[in-house]
Amino acid sequence: MRDQVSIPSQLRVRKHLNADALFASLKRIFNKIPDHRTGDVKVSLSDALMSGFAMFSLKDPSLLAFDERRKKENGNLCSIYGVNEIPSDTRMREILDEVLSEHMFSAYKVIFRALQR
């Protein structure tokens, strides 16, 4: 029989600090960033930003490596990171190069504050 580990009753479960909650919070922040593009947009700005976050959190060494992962694991990436459409490496560069860094700082602050609490 396995030893059972008792969890102290005063221990609070912090559901807002799991990966799913933090990714959803980041997606909400990215949804608020104004899109600089006009016309027919196939990939939303928040999808491009979340795809960039996915690439860094998965530690892919390059956009090309992430693009290869995208081709193989599109469904998994979409469900884990809440992305509807993952851009190709070239398209991601075009979209993200135009995003103002101030928007990224605000996203960082919100997530950092949640982790500090």
Side-chain angles (χ1 to χ4, degrees), residues 51-70 77 86-90 92-93:
S51 296
F53 171 72
M55 183 188 76
F56 283 106
S57 70
L58 294 169
K59 300 183 183 344
D60 283 321
S62 67
L63 279 172
L64 185 58
F66 181 74
D67 198 38
E68 292 300 318
R69 182 192 298 255
R70 174 187 68 87
L77 290 173
I86 299 173
S88 67
D89 62 330
T90 303
M92 191 182 312
R93 285 177 207 267

Short mmCIF file of all heavy atoms in Angstrom, two decimals, residues 51-70 77 86-90 92-93:
data_model
loop_
_atom_site.label_atom_id
_atom_site.label_comp_id
_atom_site.label_asym_id
_atom_site.label_seq_id
_atom_site.Cartn_x
_atom_site.Cartn_y
_atom_site.Cartn_z
N SER A 51 1.31 32.36 -30.67
CA SER A 51 2.21 31.45 -31.38
C SER A 51 3.66 31.79 -31.07
O SER A 51 4.49 30.90 -30.88
CB SER A 51 1.96 31.52 -32.89
OG SER A 51 0.66 31.08 -33.20
N GLY A 52 3.97 33.09 -31.02
CA GLY A 52 5.32 33.51 -30.64
C GLY A 52 5.64 33.10 -29.23
O GLY A 52 6.74 32.60 -28.93
N PHE A 53 4.67 33.25 -28.32
CA PHE A 53 4.86 32.81 -26.94
C PHE A 53 5.08 31.30 -26.90
O PHE A 53 5.96 30.82 -26.18
CB PHE A 53 3.66 33.21 -26.08
CG PHE A 53 3.68 32.60 -24.72
CD1 PHE A 53 4.59 33.04 -23.77
CD2 PHE A 53 2.81 31.58 -24.39
CE1 PHE A 53 4.63 32.47 -22.51
CE2 PHE A 53 2.84 31.00 -23.14
CZ PHE A 53 3.76 31.44 -22.20
N ALA A 54 4.30 30.55 -27.67
CA ALA A 54 4.44 29.09 -27.71
C ALA A 54 5.84 28.71 -28.17
O ALA A 54 6.47 27.81 -27.58
CB ALA A 54 3.39 28.49 -28.64
N MET A 55 6.33 29.39 -29.19
CA MET A 55 7.66 29.08 -29.70
C MET A 55 8.72 29.25 -28.61
O MET A 55 9.58 28.40 -28.43
CB MET A 55 8.00 29.97 -30.89
CG MET A 55 9.34 29.64 -31.50
SD MET A 55 9.86 30.82 -32.74
CE MET A 55 10.37 32.18 -31.74
N PHE A 56 8.62 30.34 -27.86
CA PHE A 56 9.62 30.59 -26.81
C PHE A 56 9.42 29.66 -25.61
O PHE A 56 10.40 29.17 -25.04
CB PHE A 56 9.59 32.05 -26.37
CG PHE A 56 10.27 32.95 -27.35
CD1 PHE A 56 9.54 33.78 -28.17
CD2 PHE A 56 11.65 32.96 -27.47
CE1 PHE A 56 10.16 34.60 -29.10
CE2 PHE A 56 12.29 33.77 -28.39
CZ PHE A 56 11.54 34.60 -29.21
N SER A 57 8.18 29.39 -25.24
CA SER A 57 7.97 28.53 -24.08
C SER A 57 8.34 27.08 -24.38
O SER A 57 8.73 26.34 -23.48
CB SER A 57 6.52 28.62 -23.58
OG SER A 57 5.64 28.03 -24.47
N LEU A 58 8.25 26.69 -25.64
CA LEU A 58 8.65 25.34 -26.03
C LEU A 58 10.14 25.26 -26.35
O LEU A 58 10.66 24.19 -26.65
CB LEU A 58 7.83 24.88 -27.24
CG LEU A 58 6.34 24.70 -26.96
CD1 LEU A 58 5.58 24.51 -28.26
CD2 LEU A 58 6.11 23.54 -26.01
N LYS A 59 10.80 26.42 -26.33
CA LYS A 59 12.24 26.52 -26.53
C LYS A 59 12.70 26.03 -27.91
O LYS A 59 13.76 25.42 -28.05
CB LYS A 59 13.00 25.81 -25.42
CG LYS A 59 12.71 26.37 -24.05
CD LYS A 59 13.52 25.70 -22.99
CE LYS A 59 13.28 26.13 -21.60
NZ LYS A 59 12.63 27.26 -21.23
N ASP A 60 11.88 26.32 -28.90
CA ASP A 60 12.31 26.01 -30.26
C ASP A 60 13.47 26.93 -30.61
O ASP A 60 13.43 28.13 -30.33
CB ASP A 60 11.16 26.18 -31.26
CG ASP A 60 10.20 25.02 -31.20
OD1 ASP A 60 10.67 23.88 -31.05
OD2 ASP A 60 8.98 25.24 -31.31
N PRO A 61 14.51 26.41 -31.24
CA PRO A 61 15.70 27.22 -31.51
C PRO A 61 15.53 28.28 -32.59
O PRO A 61 16.34 29.19 -32.68
CB PRO A 61 16.74 26.18 -31.93
CG PRO A 61 15.95 25.03 -32.44
CD PRO A 61 14.68 25.02 -31.65
N SER A 62 14.49 28.14 -33.40
CA SER A 62 14.29 29.10 -34.49
C SER A 62 12.84 29.09 -34.92
O SER A 62 12.07 28.18 -34.58
CB SER A 62 15.18 28.74 -35.69
OG SER A 62 14.74 27.51 -36.25
N LEU A 63 12.48 30.10 -35.71
CA LEU A 63 11.13 30.13 -36.28
C LEU A 63 10.93 28.95 -37.23
O LEU A 63 9.84 28.39 -37.30
CB LEU A 63 10.90 31.44 -37.02
CG LEU A 63 10.52 32.63 -36.17
CD1 LEU A 63 10.51 33.91 -37.00
CD2 LEU A 63 9.16 32.43 -35.52
N LEU A 64 11.98 28.56 -37.93
CA LEU A 64 11.87 27.44 -38.85
C LEU A 64 11.59 26.14 -38.08
O LEU A 64 10.74 25.34 -38.49
CB LEU A 64 13.15 27.30 -39.67
CG LEU A 64 13.12 26.23 -40.76
CD1 LEU A 64 11.99 26.50 -41.75
CD2 LEU A 64 14.45 26.19 -41.48
N ALA A 65 12.26 25.93 -36.95
CA ALA A 65 12.00 24.74 -36.13
C ALA A 65 10.57 24.76 -35.59
O ALA A 65 9.89 23.73 -35.56
CB ALA A 65 13.00 24.67 -34.98
N PHE A 66 10.10 25.93 -35.17
CA PHE A 66 8.73 26.04 -34.70
C PHE A 66 7.75 25.77 -35.84
O PHE A 66 6.72 25.14 -35.64
CB PHE A 66 8.46 27.41 -34.09
CG PHE A 66 7.05 27.56 -33.57
CD1 PHE A 66 6.67 26.94 -32.40
CD2 PHE A 66 6.13 28.33 -34.25
CE1 PHE A 66 5.37 27.06 -31.92
CE2 PHE A 66 4.83 28.47 -33.79
CZ PHE A 66 4.46 27.83 -32.61
N ASP A 67 8.07 26.23 -37.05
CA ASP A 67 7.22 26.01 -38.20
C ASP A 67 7.11 24.51 -38.49
O ASP A 67 6.03 24.01 -38.83
CB ASP A 67 7.75 26.77 -39.41
CG ASP A 67 6.71 26.94 -40.50
OD1 ASP A 67 5.53 27.16 -40.17
OD2 ASP A 67 7.08 26.84 -41.68
N GLU A 68 8.20 23.78 -38.35
CA GLU A 68 8.17 22.32 -38.53
C GLU A 68 7.28 21.67 -37.47
O GLU A 68 6.50 20.78 -37.77
CB GLU A 68 9.59 21.74 -38.47
CG GLU A 68 10.46 22.13 -39.64
CD GLU A 68 9.89 21.67 -40.97
OE1 GLU A 68 9.40 20.53 -41.07
OE2 GLU A 68 9.93 22.46 -41.94
N ARG A 69 7.39 22.14 -36.22
CA ARG A 69 6.53 21.62 -35.15
C ARG A 69 5.07 21.94 -35.47
O ARG A 69 4.19 21.13 -35.24
CB ARG A 69 6.92 22.23 -33.81
CG ARG A 69 6.09 21.68 -32.65
CD ARG A 69 6.27 22.50 -31.38
NE ARG A 69 7.61 22.50 -30.88
CZ ARG A 69 8.02 21.81 -29.81
NH1 ARG A 69 7.17 21.05 -29.17
NH2 ARG A 69 9.25 21.90 -29.39
N ARG A 70 4.83 23.14 -35.97
CA ARG A 70 3.47 23.57 -36.32
C ARG A 70 2.85 22.61 -37.33
O ARG A 70 1.69 22.24 -37.21
CB ARG A 70 3.50 24.99 -36.89
CG ARG A 70 2.16 25.49 -37.42
CD ARG A 70 2.32 26.83 -38.12
NE ARG A 70 3.06 26.76 -39.37
CZ ARG A 70 2.54 26.49 -40.56
NH1 ARG A 70 1.25 26.27 -40.68
NH2 ARG A 70 3.29 26.46 -41.63
N LEU A 77 -0.82 22.22 -30.43
CA LEU A 77 -0.42 23.61 -30.17
C LEU A 77 -1.65 24.50 -30.04
O LEU A 77 -1.71 25.36 -29.16
CB LEU A 77 0.49 24.13 -31.28
CG LEU A 77 1.88 23.54 -31.33
CD1 LEU A 77 2.62 24.01 -32.58
CD2 LEU A 77 2.67 23.90 -30.10
N ILE A 86 -2.22 29.12 -36.53
CA ILE A 86 -0.80 29.37 -36.28
C ILE A 86 -0.17 29.84 -37.59
O ILE A 86 -0.26 29.15 -38.60
CB ILE A 86 -0.08 28.11 -35.78
CG1 ILE A 86 -0.70 27.66 -34.46
CG2 ILE A 86 1.41 28.36 -35.62
CD1 ILE A 86 -0.19 26.33 -33.94
N PRO A 87 0.47 31.02 -37.58
CA PRO A 87 1.08 31.52 -38.82
C PRO A 87 2.36 30.77 -39.17
O PRO A 87 3.01 30.19 -38.31
CB PRO A 87 1.38 32.98 -38.49
CG PRO A 87 1.54 33.01 -37.02
CD PRO A 87 0.62 31.95 -36.47
N SER A 88 2.71 30.80 -40.45
CA SER A 88 3.99 30.24 -40.87
C SER A 88 5.10 31.13 -40.32
O SER A 88 4.85 32.23 -39.83
CB SER A 88 4.07 30.22 -42.40
OG SER A 88 4.09 31.54 -42.91
N ASP A 89 6.34 30.67 -40.42
CA ASP A 89 7.45 31.45 -39.86
C ASP A 89 7.57 32.82 -40.53
O ASP A 89 7.75 33.83 -39.86
CB ASP A 89 8.77 30.68 -39.94
CG ASP A 89 9.21 30.36 -41.36
OD1 ASP A 89 8.33 30.19 -42.22
OD2 ASP A 89 10.43 30.26 -41.59
N THR A 90 7.43 32.88 -41.85
CA THR A 90 7.53 34.16 -42.55
C THR A 90 6.40 35.10 -42.15
O THR A 90 6.62 36.28 -41.87
CB THR A 90 7.50 33.94 -44.07
OG1 THR A 90 8.55 33.05 -44.43
CG2 THR A 90 7.66 35.24 -44.83
N MET A 92 4.64 35.04 -39.41
CA MET A 92 4.78 35.45 -38.02
C MET A 92 5.75 36.64 -37.90
O MET A 92 5.49 37.59 -37.17
CB MET A 92 5.26 34.30 -37.13
CG MET A 92 5.16 34.64 -35.65
SD MET A 92 5.76 33.39 -34.49
CE MET A 92 5.02 31.91 -35.04
N ARG A 93 6.83 36.58 -38.63
CA ARG A 93 7.79 37.70 -38.63
C ARG A 93 7.11 39.00 -39.09
O ARG A 93 7.28 40.04 -38.49
CB ARG A 93 8.96 37.42 -39.56
CG ARG A 93 9.96 36.44 -39.06
CD ARG A 93 11.03 36.23 -40.14
NE ARG A 93 11.64 34.95 -40.05
CZ ARG A 93 12.75 34.69 -39.37
NH1 ARG A 93 13.34 35.65 -38.72
NH2 ARG A 93 13.25 33.49 -39.35
#
